[in-house]
Amino acid sequence: MDRKKVYLCFSTDIIHGGHIALIRRAQELGDLIIGVLSDEAVAGYKRFPLVPASERRLMFENIAGVTRVVEQKTLSYRDVLMELRPDFVVHGDNWVHGFQEPIRAEVIEVLSLWGGKLVEFPYSSDDKYRELDRRQRAELAMPDLRRGRLKRLLDMKGFVTAMEAHDGLTGLIVENTAVHENGGARQFDAMWLSSLCDSTARGKPDIELVDMTSRFRTLDDIMEVTTKPIIFDGDTGGLTEHFVYTVRSLERMGVSMVIIEDKTGLKKNSLFGTEVVQTQDSIEHFSEKIRAGCRARRTKDFMICARIESLILEKGQEDALRRAEAFVQAGADSIMIHSRRKDPQEIMDFLEAFRKKDPTTPVVLVPTSFNSVKEEEWKQRGANIVIYANQLMRAAVPAVQRAAETILTHHRAEECDRDLMPFKDIIRLIPEE
Ligand code: SPV
Ligand code: MG
């Protein structure tokens, strides 16, 4: 009559023997309620879920003896435990140490409010389960899955961060860097393939001199070793007749979004602003390029973003807003507004005015100059994607220059060694098949 209530939460995409064994042991303790971690929480702490929460729920609902399945929205168990008030929470013992320690401590604290207990079973880390996980990760790199992930992330979280990568190694750094915060892990959601950094890495100016075939080579190097969605800097998109081919190629490769800017003629980097001659394209011509790109693509997953250069070229807010509206009308899935001022005010003013007219079209920001505002505030103000466009390269260049100068100064490498990472640590960044 007074059977105990047991709670067990899963984030897995597939159910294997190890999970079933854990479920059976949990069932011995009482009536089992299974929690399915939300897509957003899984993406935040582990990797993007291959199977959405709605289907993961179905999977568990069909296991004999599971009394109920609920969604656990956050990594923290607090809300779900307060609602269910279980007698036991069951978990593998793999969270006793490591970044999930605070989540575990909170579970024990919340359960103590009504005398509940945490029961931990040894975590099974069988080789065949590790192999399954490896295969699932590989699946995430396939173009069809990868392309749609930016849209899915935007739907899921409403706000996405992207970090610049300009070769396989920086791609791996963006893919794998994580910091732990409140029992979860913070990672970048996506990657930005910057024209500036791709050109600079080749010792070339950012004037559309590095041709698309070379840019695709960089893209392929990055895609080969990573799984996160990619936003490709398409510069001006070139001639409309060429842009349609670029769209097809990027889409086929599994890129999620191309951003093209409304400039024409010899493109210079926006950070030069009006110090160099730069010509803005007409609304009509650029709209036609967007329309042609939209007609060329084959899937709804691939996004075309129109980048507005009015603030960079000091044409004012009215011009920027008129263009935003026209480009969305032409079919742009998203817009990017850029500024090279330190003061974020003109971007904030744009966001406020744009959101009054258009509450839904995703807005992309590249806060290189206006870098004082935190992501959460941009989200509150209506932005959806923040791109850190060049910081990894700017971190590397001074370090590399310093090493070269130190060796020249001392006629040997010993003095420079303390600033260097041992190669065995660098190799650890590179996964083995
Ligand atoms: C890039 O990273 O190449 C960009 C962003 O286009 S910016 O350099 O700010 O123009
Ligand atoms: Mg660029």
Side-chain angles (χ1 to χ4, degrees), residues 237-245 285-286 288-290 292-293 295:
L239 294 173
T240 302
E241 292 83 347
H242 294 179
F243 180 54
V244 291
Y245 283 90
H285 186 257
F286 197 68
E288 187 39 44
K289 199 183 282 188
I290 294 165
R295 281 194 301 271

Side-chain angles (χ1 to χ4, degrees), residues 4-10 26-27 30-36 60 65-71 80 83-90:
K4 302 284 188 199
K5 217 191 247 185
V6 187
Y7 181 71
L8 173 56
C9 182
F10 282 105
Q27 281 170 327
D31 288 339
L32 177 62
I33 302 172
I34 283 189
V36 162
F60 286 104
V66 171
T67 50
R68 213 173 129 196
V69 180
V70 298
E71 186 177 39
V80 86
E83 199 189 316
L84 299 171
R85 298 174 76 86
D87 301 286
F88 300 109
V89 167
V90 171

Side-chain angles (χ1 to χ4, degrees), residues 195-196 206 233 235 261 267 307:
S195 68
L196 175 62
D206 181 23
D233 180 356
D235 284 320
E261 57 197 274
K267 189 219 81 154
R307 162 171 168 177

Side-chain angles (χ1 to χ4, degrees), residues 224-325:
E224 230 180 313
V225 294
T226 61
T227 68
K228 290 188 191 235
I230 292 190
I231 305 174
F232 186 85
D233 180 356
D235 284 320
T236 65
L239 294 173
T240 302
E241 292 83 347
H242 294 179
F243 180 54
V244 291
Y245 283 90
T246 306
V247 165
R248 286 272 174 85
S249 304
L250 293 173
E251 187 179 29
R252 192 181 57 245
M253 290 168 89
V255 167
S256 302
M257 183 196 270
V258 61
I259 302 187
I260 51 169
E261 57 197 274
D262 60 351
K263 286 204 290 235
T264 187
L266 180 62
K267 189 219 81 154
K268 304 265 178 69
N269 186 271
S270 299
L271 301 173
F272 288 119
T274 50
E275 290 157 28
V276 293
V277 179
Q278 308 209 55
T279 318
Q280 204 169 15
D281 202 354
S282 71
I283 292 185
E284 295 68 31
H285 186 257
F286 197 68
S287 297
E288 187 39 44
K289 199 183 282 188
I290 294 165
R291 273 192 289 272
C294 292
R295 281 194 301 271
R297 69 179 160 191
R298 287 289 165 268
T299 67
K300 286 254 177 295
D301 285 341
F302 182 76
M303 300 171 80
I304 295 178
C305 174
R307 162 171 168 177
I308 299 153
E309 291 286 288
S310 306
L311 303 181
I312 294 283
L313 301 172
E314 293 175 13
K315 301 278 176 61
Q317 289 286 349
E318 283 303 311
D319 187 68
L321 288 163
R322 200 166 41 244
R323 282 169 179 269
E325 196 175 344

